[in-house]
Structure formats: C-alpha cells, structure tokens
Amino acid sequence: MPSRDWRSLSEQVVSTWGRNPWFHDQLWPENRDRILWMLSRLEKGFEGGEIQQVLDIGCYPGLVSRILAKAGIDVIAFDSEEAFVDIGETLTEAGIAHRSASLNDLDTLPDIGSNTIDGIVFGEVFEHLLHHPLGVLNGFYRVLKPGGVMVLTTPNPSTVMNVVRLLLDRPLLRGGAEFSRLPKWDGTS
C-alpha cells in the first residue's frame, strides 16, 4: 500500500485554520517536521495493513487529529476537559470523537476495548505525567491491536523551568519527593 502524502494533507488542514497568528507564526512552523515525522512513523510502524483507528492522546489544539481525519482515519481525541472548551466544537464539526481523560488515573482508557486500536499518537505529553508512567503505557498496550503502533515524542527536558528548579534545589516533578515515593500503580492492571 502506498503511504499517504502527509505534507499535502497537513497543508490542507493548516490552510483551514483561519488567521491565528500564534498558530501560523509559531505552533505550525515549530512543530511541522515533528508532526510529519509522527504521522509517517504511525503509518510505517503499523503491521496490520491499512491503519483504521487512532487515539490522539493530549490532542490540543486538535491539529494532528484533524490531519488524521482528513486522511480518512477514524480518530478519537483525548485531552483534559479544559482543552475541549476551546476545541471541542471544531473537532465535532470535523467528525472527530473526543473524550476527556486524566492520565493520572490508574485506568486511563476504561471505555476503550482491549486490542481494538491500530495506533496511538502521544506527542509532547509524556513529560506531563505526574510520576509513574508505567500504568499509562500498560493501558495503551492493552488497547492496541497486535501489530499496532504508538508514536511517542517528548520535548527537550532541558527547559528553562527545569534549570530554575535545579538551581533552587527543588524537585523537577510536581508533588515533591515524598509524593514521588508513593506507589501510583500496584502492578495488577
């Protein structure tokens, strides 16, 4: 099967975004190459034929979800309730299902059946998990079909905020050292 022209599909979606200076002058130019790489890896990594359904975890502002939908892929977009105040209506208009989820819950995707999803996009979200990400990753593994693929990207951890925290001898993780020692996942799910 020939691969999709992700660059062309992306430009089509970007052209419909309206005249939002932040989006056109900052978000898209700074993230274009990473997003195109993610979409390409998603398609190339899937071993089950044509990719049909993808979860876009941490979907704000909805760009990746909209590009996937433009490619004819069934997308379920996940983010916080607050994110959908801004983008819920536009996702609905684009025919994209969206659900709020907390990645800090032990079962992050309780309403998604096991072995039902072809791919997961998890871009620039992993670093927002509070502490123990193993439960989240196990949940993703549970819903992926055999041969399914997850594409995970993270930003550079050397952010100015982390440098300031280190200089002030503060923990890099929210909740502090005591909270980080508490188990967040009991290994049973």
Side-chain angles (χ1 to χ4, degrees):
M1 160 184 280
S3 64
R4 292 173 173 92
D5 182 354
W6 292 112
R7 183 171 300 280
S8 174
L9 288 164
S10 298
E11 295 300 335
Q12 290 173 41
V13 170
V14 166
S15 72
T16 67
W17 209 265
R19 191 63 220 149
N20 178 327
W22 167 78
F23 178 83
H24 288 284
D25 299 338
Q26 186 176 349
L27 182 99
W28 180 238
E30 290 176 5
N31 291 282
R32 176 188 302 116
D33 291 340
R34 179 184 57 83
I35 289 171
L36 292 173
W37 178 86
M38 287 172 35
L39 295 167
S40 174
R41 293 307 311 155
L42 183 70
E43 187 172 52
K44 288 178 183 171
F46 183 59
E47 298 175 358
E50 185 174 346
I51 199 157
Q52 301 287 319
Q53 188 171 47
V54 171
L55 303 183
D56 184 2
I57 309 290
C59 68
Y60 190 85
L63 177 61
V64 172
S65 294
R66 290 176 64 185
I67 296 168
L68 289 165
K70 181 80 173 170
I73 295 170
D74 181 29
V75 181
I76 304 173
F78 284 86
D79 214 311
S80 67
E81 287 184 36
E82 296 82 22
F84 292 124
V85 170
D86 280 350
I87 65 171
E89 187 175 323
T90 60
L91 290 174
T92 300
E93 289 170 0
I96 298 168
H98 52 88
R99 301 179 188 162
S100 46
S102 171
L103 298 180
N104 297 307
D105 292 340
L106 285 179
D107 188 0
T108 56
L109 304 169
D111 58 340
I112 304 291
S114 297
N115 302 316
T116 59
I117 302 298
D118 298 325
I120 295 175
V121 175
F122 196 45
E124 311 298 295
V125 179
F126 193 75
E127 67 279 4
H128 296 282
L129 298 178
L130 289 179
H131 293 284
H132 303 280
L134 188 56
V136 170
L137 296 176
N138 279 335
F140 293 169
Y141 181 75
R142 178 187 63 79
V143 302
L144 281 173
K145 290 178 181 176
V149 64
M150 178 180 74
V151 177
L152 182 152
T153 62
T154 62
N156 184 337
S158 302
T159 64
V160 172
M161 199 61 225
N162 281 342
V163 170
V164 169
R165 287 181 184 124
L166 286 171
L167 290 173
L168 295 174
D169 196 30
R170 293 185 180 157
L172 296 177
L173 301 173
R174 289 186 278 162
E178 181 62 32
F179 182 73
S180 69
R181 285 190 285 275
L182 295 173
K184 311 303 181 295
W185 179 67
D186 66 5
T188 61
S189 59

